[in-house]
Amino acid sequence: MEWPLSLLDTQIPFYIALSTMALVLLLSLSALFLESLRKIGCHHSLERSAGSDAFFEDPNSLKKVSCPSIFDRAEKYLSLVIPAFNEEHRLPGALVEMLGYLQQRAATDKFFTYEVIIVDDGSTDKTSKVAFEFVRKYKIDNVRVLLLGRNHGKGEAIKKGMLHSRGELLLMLDADGATKITDLEKLESQIYAFAETCRDGKSPAKSQADLRLKLPNIEASIFGSRAHLEKQAIATRKWYRNFLMKGFHLVVLLAAGPGIHDTQCGFKLFTRAAARKLFTNIRLKRWCFDVELVYLCKHLNIPMVEVSVNWTEIPGSKIRLTSIVHMLFELVLIRLGYGLGIWKIYT
């Protein structure tokens, strides 16, 4: 069947216009991604070359305490880094539980020294006021508050806390207390398993004290995981949330590759040597910095282990539909930034 010439004449311009619009849209999206990659790369280069002028405030003496650097020698056994954005209601209960546990361990183990770093990510409520009350009670040597001034994102808050920590081991955990602090010991045991197999030309370690001496030379990342709870969660969640979860896992697999099933659990432990490499390289500031950590561990040859932890859903989640869109955008940035060589990995 032949189309009338007049009909073809009217359709051809339409398809040309449609194709032109699609091409313009594609080029615009490509330009958007490339510009985002360029800006993130430039900002990261400036951060690496600039000195830090951050400090902790001591409400007991009204003095400013200079922030240490991840490149300094460790002064504590453990640093807890807690990102907090508008957490005035959930933070106090979590801190009471954490500090009770830490004090109990410190009382029975003279080598167990700790610090808690609360990173206020530009909160607009009374989060900083709540945090400083704990500084007053437990003193600035044990509890510190880092104020970022404006909201940057969870990834940036954790990065800042890690880069200004003093621990030989560094634990990131959420301000809601969804994961029990006692599960730290599960992650610690994996660190010591690495220490036990570490070959340094010396005699085998005979005690935990001997193993602790090896920690400065060990690179390891231990990821808390809720994967064992997935079947129960699938049975109770709405179908569309399960669909989104499966889709997100697939995109993560494409962006970072296999290795860690639950990248988004906010309970992760790093040796100081591993944290030094990871958090001086990390670029993403919000939701998918966890996925970038997995990518960096693989390319920096930092061993990763996934450990099941106890987890309870706490009301007050800040994930919205727009957050999911932003996650997908960041996953594409990871793939393009590193895949095209625009983002360099420093060793």
Side-chain angles (χ1 to χ4, degrees):
M1 177 179 179
E2 294 184 0
W3 291 94
L5 186 60
S6 58
L7 183 60
L8 288 174
D9 289 341
T10 58
Q11 286 183 333
I12 289 173
F14 170 76
Y15 286 119
I16 292 175
L18 187 64
S19 300
T20 303
M21 289 176 61
L23 180 61
V24 169
L25 179 61
L26 180 61
L27 292 174
S28 299
L29 288 173
S30 300
L32 174 64
F33 278 116
L34 290 174
E35 180 61 15
S36 298
L37 292 170
R38 187 192 66 79
K39 285 184 176 179
I40 293 172
C42 290
H43 183 70
H44 181 261
S45 297
L46 289 172
E47 281 186 333
R48 287 183 60 87
S49 60
S52 173
D53 56 356
F55 58 84
F56 298 109
E57 294 184 0
D58 184 359
N60 293 310
S61 67
L62 300 181
K63 293 181 179 179
K64 295 179 179 179
V65 178
S66 298
C67 284
S69 168
I70 190 71
F71 292 98
D72 299 336
R73 291 186 62 182
E75 298 177 20
K76 299 280 187 177
Y77 170 71
L78 177 70
S79 292
L80 272 69
V81 177
I82 306 170
F85 175 65
N86 291 344
E87 293 287 1
E88 65 171 306
H89 299 297
R90 301 195 296 181
L91 184 61
L95 284 176
V96 167
E97 183 177 339
M98 291 174 200
L99 287 161
Y101 168 82
L102 295 171
Q103 285 188 311
Q104 184 179 17
R105 281 195 61 176
T108 56
D109 182 355
K110 66 179 181 179
F111 294 105
F112 187 87
T113 55
Y114 67 88
E115 66 174 350
V116 177
I117 302 176
I118 304 156
V119 187
D120 186 341
D121 187 24
S123 298
T124 56
D125 64 357
K126 298 179 181 178
T127 295
S128 61
K129 182 180 179 181
V130 168
F132 278 120
E133 287 301 319
F134 282 86
V135 181
R136 289 188 180 92
K137 182 176 180 181
Y138 294 94
K139 309 306 178 187
I140 198 166
D141 188 52
N142 293 320
V143 180
R144 297 182 164 191
V145 179
L146 186 60
L147 303 174
L148 297 190
R150 64 180 180 84
N151 180 251
H152 293 269
K154 181 180 178 181
E156 182 71 2
I158 290 175
K159 174 183 175 179
K160 294 295 187 187
M162 290 283 178
L163 293 180
H164 297 308
S165 63
R166 296 175 289 166
E168 196 67 78
L169 299 180
L170 298 90
L171 176 71
M172 55 170 272
L173 67 170
D174 293 333
D176 58 7
T179 306
K180 295 299 180 184
I181 185 61
T182 50
D183 279 344
L184 164 65
E185 295 170 32
K186 294 181 181 180
L187 277 61
E188 274 182 290
S189 66
Q190 290 295 326
I191 294 286
Y192 283 112
F194 279 117
E196 205 164 6
T197 58
C198 179
R199 304 299 180 189
D200 55 5
K202 299 179 181 179
S203 58
K206 297 179 180 178
S207 66
Q208 192 174 65
D210 292 333
L211 291 174
R212 283 177 177 171
L213 295 175
K214 291 186 175 185
L215 291 181
N217 302 317
I218 293 172
E219 295 178 359
S221 301
I222 315 300
F223 289 68
S225 174
R226 303 159 297 179
H228 61 294
L229 304 173
E230 189 171 303
K231 287 184 179 179
Q232 179 182 352
I234 289 175
T236 57
R237 275 199 303 248
K238 300 287 187 181
W239 68 268
Y240 58 85
R241 291 192 65 187
N242 289 326
F243 177 78
L244 289 173
M245 180 197 70
K246 293 293 185 183
F248 180 76
H249 284 170
L250 176 61
V251 177
V252 168
L253 185 65
L254 294 174
I260 299 296
H261 184 77
D262 181 9
T263 59
Q264 302 308 112
C265 181
F267 200 78
K268 297 179 175 67
L269 183 67
F270 308 92
T271 60
R272 191 171 185 82
R276 186 180 297 123
K277 286 186 176 181
L278 292 171
F279 290 96
T280 53
N281 272 295
I282 198 166
R283 291 168 171 83
L284 295 183
K285 297 179 182 294
R286 294 194 177 274
W287 299 106
C288 289
F289 76 97
D290 305 84
V291 181
E292 189 180 5
L293 284 173
V294 173
Y295 186 95
L296 288 170
C297 281
K298 289 183 177 182
H299 287 265
L300 289 167
N301 296 317
I302 297 175
M304 297 181 292
V305 174
E306 197 168 10
V307 177
S308 298
V309 295
N310 296 299
W311 184 84
T312 305
E313 187 169 357
I314 307 295
S317 172
K318 296 181 175 64
I319 297 180
R320 304 289 184 267
L321 180 59
T322 53
S323 305
I324 296 173
V325 175
H326 198 102
M327 287 179 185
L328 294 175
F329 179 76
E330 288 191 335
L331 289 172
V332 174
L333 288 180
I334 292 174
R335 198 63 189 171
L336 292 178
Y338 290 112
L340 297 176
I342 299 173
W343 294 354
K344 305 297 182 184
I345 298 178
Y346 301 91
T347 57

